[in-house]
Amino acid sequence: MANRSDRRTGDSSCPCGLGTSYAACCGALHDGSKQAATAEQLMRSRYSAFVVEDAPYLLRTWSAKTRPRTLRFEAGLQWTGLEILGTEGGSAFHTEGTVEFRASYVGGDQHENSYFTREDGLWVYVEPTTAGTPANRR
C-alpha cells in the first residue's frame, strides 16, 4: 500500500476502490476542486479521507448538527478496503440517502449504514442509521 504522502500527490490509485488515481478521484473532492454529486461518492471520499488522515475534509463534510469539534485518528490503523453494500436515495436528484458499507482494516472491519443529507446544496454525512432510520429520528 502506498504511503499517505503518495496518495496526496496522486501517485497511486484512490483508496475508495474505483480504480482511478487519487488525484482524479477523491483527491479532487478533498482539495475542493469538485463536490460530491451523490451520497455514495461522498461516502467513498470520506473513507479515502480516513485513509489519508484528512481531518479538515471529514469535518467539512459532516453535518453541522452532528459534527464533532475535533477528529483524531487511531495511531497505526491501516485501512485495507471499502465495499459498498447498498444505497437508498442519495442520487443527484435526492436530498437525503443512505449508504451501507464495510470498511476493512488490518485486524477487522467497520460495517455501517450511514445517513446523508444536503446542507446548502452539498452532501454531508449525518450519522449511522438504525433499521433504516437516522439515530436522531428514533
Side-chain angles (χ1 to χ4, degrees), residues 42-43 46 61-68 96-101 110 112-117 119 124-130 132-138:
L42 182 66
M43 175 61 240
R46 287 179 55 83
T61 59
W62 209 312
S63 172
K65 297 173 186 170
T66 57
R67 178 187 314 130
E96 60 184 13
T98 60
V99 178
E100 183 179 6
F101 70 92
Q110 175 184 344
E112 182 177 304
N113 194 15
S114 297
Y115 175 65
F116 296 87
T117 191
E119 289 181 3
V124 293
Y125 167 77
V126 181
E127 63 194 347
T129 66
T130 301
T133 303
N136 69 1
R137 294 187 187 178
R138 282 183 266 165

Side-chain angles (χ1 to χ4, degrees), residues 45-119:
S45 72
R46 287 179 55 83
Y47 168 80
S48 293
F50 274 102
V51 172
V52 301
E53 297 185 354
D54 187 344
Y57 179 78
L58 289 163
L59 293 170
R60 187 170 66 248
T61 59
W62 209 312
S63 172
K65 297 173 186 170
T66 57
R67 178 187 314 130
R69 288 185 184 193
T70 60
L71 187 61
R72 295 181 194 200
F73 298 100
E74 188 174 328
L77 184 66
Q78 290 184 296
W79 295 101
T80 59
L82 175 67
E83 179 183 6
I84 302 298
L85 303 173
T87 63
E88 186 175 317
S91 78
F93 304 105
H94 292 102
T95 58
E96 60 184 13
T98 60
V99 178
E100 183 179 6
F101 70 92
R102 179 173 293 113
S104 300
Y105 55 88
V106 173
D109 63 44
Q110 175 184 344
H111 178 212
E112 182 177 304
N113 194 15
S114 297
Y115 175 65
F116 296 87
T117 191
R118 290 186 189 259
E119 289 181 3

